[in-house]
Structure formats: structure tokens, C-alpha cells
Amino acid sequence: MKMSHMMNIYARLPVAFSHGNGSRICDTDGRVYLDALSGIAVNTLGHNHPALVAAISAQAARLLHTSNIYRMPQQEQLADKLAELSGMDEVFFCNSGCEANEAAIKLARFYGHQRGVDNPAIIVMEHSFHGRTLATLSATGSRKVQAGFEPLVAGFVRVPFNDLEAVRAIGERNKNVVAVMFEVIQGEGGVHVADKDYQWGLRRLCDENAWLMICDEVQCGMGRTGTWFGFQQAGIRPEVVTLAKGLAGGVPIGACLAAGRAAQLFRPGNHGSTFGGNQLATTAALTTLDVIEKENLLANAVEVGQVILGGFRQALADVPGVIGIRGMGLMIGIELDRPCGDLAQRGLDAGLLINVTAERVVRLLPALNFSADEGRELVERLSTLIRAFLSS
Ligand SMILES: *Cc1c(COP(=O)(O)O)cnc(C)c1O
């Protein structure tokens, strides 16, 4: 494959796909794969869902885009729907996860300035991932993402994940803190789940100090954990929630939701986006949400998630080299005792789309309509691969 004019940014696997159906996807040579990654948690409804295809096609035949200079009924409807599902008050639309987080970071700084904090700081976590723009890579807890792009954006203070005392200590020392930003389940960082006690502890600290709680739900939101949003698992209510990846089932979109003291801060001119929330993207998102409801996919995520998690715990129970099997709903990680990036290629060779993150964690992010049978098939085929890899 000739790629001479492509900027050399991705370590791509040597395959291209031509079409898909549900969680089966076909490459350009006609080989069929079981897709347990869904475009990194993007293809919420799998490939080629008829309702999504129909809605996008119909919308494309009417209008794709008019800009945010004008009203868009679909966008207003989607904001209402997201507010209803999340308990948040208002929504800003953009096109990606990093943009949603940029909006959240700007909102937190704006909030700080309004409270007379001239140098607002945001507490962020080790092993977090928030994106690759300058502000979001600065918020990200990975030197690999930051290296070579210094100077970093100032105003972030990092603490270990799941360590409430560290957050409390920073808060006592640093009066510039205005917000805490975290993922309920760290995705890129290796599928690490925030303890419920920890989330409640953060909630308390945010209340005591009038900080904003910012939940980056770009990966773990949109029903992936079995509730609409990851924070609903613990029953907390953040002031800011960011979404992207799976929100429109494959069409680019991002959203920053605000509530309580984070709501009604921005005024016209403070922020914006040319494409954000256009007719095509918001129609796709409305349809995605509608299908999740109609096809009962939150319950499916719980049920099939248990099939997969339980299946791997059984299949890999006595396998030396398997350090941990964890996750929630359809966001699952299998940590090995050694780097295992090679497993993505081995999966491909075996007709399986999987991913490896944080070097040693096999990450699974199947579509929310992955069936229990597909779950059992995944467990059987992937545990065979993992066993073979660990003994090679
Ligand atoms: C993927 C991801 C992002 C970045 O999203 P982009 O759309 O690639 O900018 C941010 N936060 C989390 C938690 C993510 O998983």
C-alpha cells in the first residue's frame, strides 16, 4: 500500500476494510473479522445499522450543515435529550473528544476568573488521557503524549489515580485549584476503574471547595458501562461531563455538558465551533440514542459485559502472565505481565479486531449490540490467542 503522502502518525495494521454488518467487518480481500473494538468505542451500534444509515441518508439529502450562526432544531433536541439522560443543565457541541475537553478546561478557567482566581489550576490524574491538543495533552498523564511538545500548557496539577488524600492535600496547599478532572474508567491508561468511594470523596471535596467536578466520559460514556454515563454507576453528579467517541455512532461529534455552578458561564463570543453539532452529526446522535433505548442496549451492555468478563475470568483463571481482568459493561481490559502490542496483529491474523493499550493491556470495546453469542465467541477465540502468546 503506497502511503508516501500520508503524514507518518499512526502505526497502522496492514489491513483495510470495505464493509461491515453489526460486529462483523469484511476486509478488501473478502476476509471477515469479529470486531471487538468498534473503531475505539465509536461504532456504538456496530456497522451499518439500518436505522442509522437511513437517518443519515435522509438528513444528507436535506441539509448537512448551516453553521451555528443559525438555529438547528436537531441540535436543540439533542441537547434536551442529553440533559434528560444525564441530569445536566446545558450542552455545547463540538467535533471530538479533545475539543470537548478543551471546552471543559476553558469553562473551568473562566469559572476561576469569575471567582477572582487569576491563575486557575485543575487537578488531573496520572495515566489519564484527555486528547492531543496542547491543553489536553498537558492534562494527559502520559509523558509519551507530551514529549517533544513542550512548553506544556500551565495550570494542571497531577495526582495519583484513586488517591483521595493526594487531592485533599493539593487542595489545602494550592488555593488556585478550581476543578478536578478525571475519567470514571481510564481507557487509554489501561482500563482502570475509579473506586466508588473515591468518586464520592472527590464529590465531597468539590463541594467543600466549590471546585468543578469534570468527568471525561469520552470513552466510558454513551452506555458503555451499562448506564448512560459512567458517573451514574456511583450515583454522583458532576458539574461538567465531556462526550465524543460513541455519541453519534461513527459520525464525528463531541459535547461538553455543564450543570450547577458550571452552567450559564459562557456568553456569546467566549467559545465556539464551526462544525460543532451540525445537522448531520446531531441527527446521527439522536438516532444512536433512540436505537440504544429501543433495542435496550444498556441492559445488553450489562449482560454481555458479564458474559465476557466472567468468561475471561474463567478461561484465563490459571494462566500465568495474566495479571488482571477488569472493566465495566462493555469496556474491558486484560492486563498481562509483559508488553503485548503484538497481540493486535495476531488477532488480525486470527480474524479478530482487538486493541492493546498502555503496552500490556488488551482492551475490548465492542459495540453495545454485541450479542451474548458473540461474547462467548470472543472469549474462546481471544483466550486461545492470549494463552499462545504467553507461552511463545
Ligand atoms: C479518545 C479520548 C479522548 C480524545 O478524543 P479525540 O476525539 O481523539 O480527540 C479524550 N478523552 C478520552 C477519555 C478518550 O478516550
Side-chain angles (χ1 to χ4, degrees), residues 96-98 101 129-131 183 216 218-219 245:
S96 64
C98 61
N101 287 331
F129 183 80
H130 299 299
E183 298 151 86
D216 178 347
V218 168
Q219 192 162 151
K245 290 196 166 83

Side-chain angles (χ1 to χ4, degrees), residues 168-373:
R168 190 194 310 279
I170 300 266
E172 279 168 12
R173 250 194 343 265
N174 185 338
K175 293 304 164 197
N176 289 327
V177 172
V178 294
V180 180
M181 182 173 186
F182 72 104
E183 298 151 86
V184 170
I185 306 181
Q186 293 187 332
E188 304 301 308
V191 192
H192 295 285
V193 183
D195 300 333
K196 284 190 181 161
D197 287 352
Y198 177 66
Q199 293 182 56
W200 274 103
L202 289 180
R203 183 62 273 171
R204 252 191 329 272
L205 285 176
C206 287
D207 288 338
E208 285 166 16
N209 295 288
W211 297 338
L212 305 184
M213 171 181 272
I214 305 174
C215 288
D216 178 347
E217 297 244 353
V218 168
Q219 192 162 151
C220 68
M222 292 311 299
R224 187 143 289 281
T225 61
T227 49
W228 283 105
F229 305 100
F231 68 81
Q232 291 168 334
Q233 295 279 343
I236 51 168
R237 188 190 191 222
E239 276 78 27
V240 182
V241 176
T242 57
L243 301 174
K245 290 196 166 83
L247 176 52
V251 177
I253 191 169
C256 177
L257 286 57
R261 26 178 196 275
Q264 294 179 7
L265 288 177
F266 282 161
R267 294 280 174 270
N270 290 138
H271 199 48
S273 166
T274 298
F275 287 117
N278 78 12
Q279 283 87 343
L280 183 74
T282 46
T283 296
L286 279 167
T287 308
T288 302
L289 294 170
D290 194 45
V291 172
I292 292 175
E293 280 181 334
K294 286 202 172 110
E295 299 187 1
N296 228 338
L297 297 184
L298 297 185
N300 191 68
V302 173
E303 184 197 323
V304 178
Q306 277 163 3
V307 167
I308 297 175
L309 202 62
F312 278 117
R313 282 183 175 149
Q314 201 162 26
L316 299 173
D318 49 1
V319 177
V322 176
I323 285 185
I325 301 171
R326 54 183 180 254
M328 209 182 267
L330 290 172
M331 183 164 181
I332 292 168
I334 304 168
E335 182 169 351
L336 306 186
D337 66 352
R338 66 200 75 172
C340 60
D342 195 34
L343 266 170
Q345 177 66 55
R346 290 189 188 211
L348 204 61
D349 296 340
L352 218 48
L353 301 193
I354 56 164
N355 174 251
V356 172
T357 190
E359 284 198 338
R360 304 184 309 173
V361 182
V362 178
R363 178 174 49 164
L364 305 170
L365 299 162
L368 298 193
N369 53 7
F370 211 69
S371 71
D373 280 343

Side-chain angles (χ1 to χ4, degrees), residues 1-12:
M1 217 180 296
K2 184 167 168 289
M3 299 222 276
S4 56
H5 295 291
M6 296 284 290
M7 203 176 274
N8 185 18
I9 288 179
Y10 303 102
R12 292 181 202 268

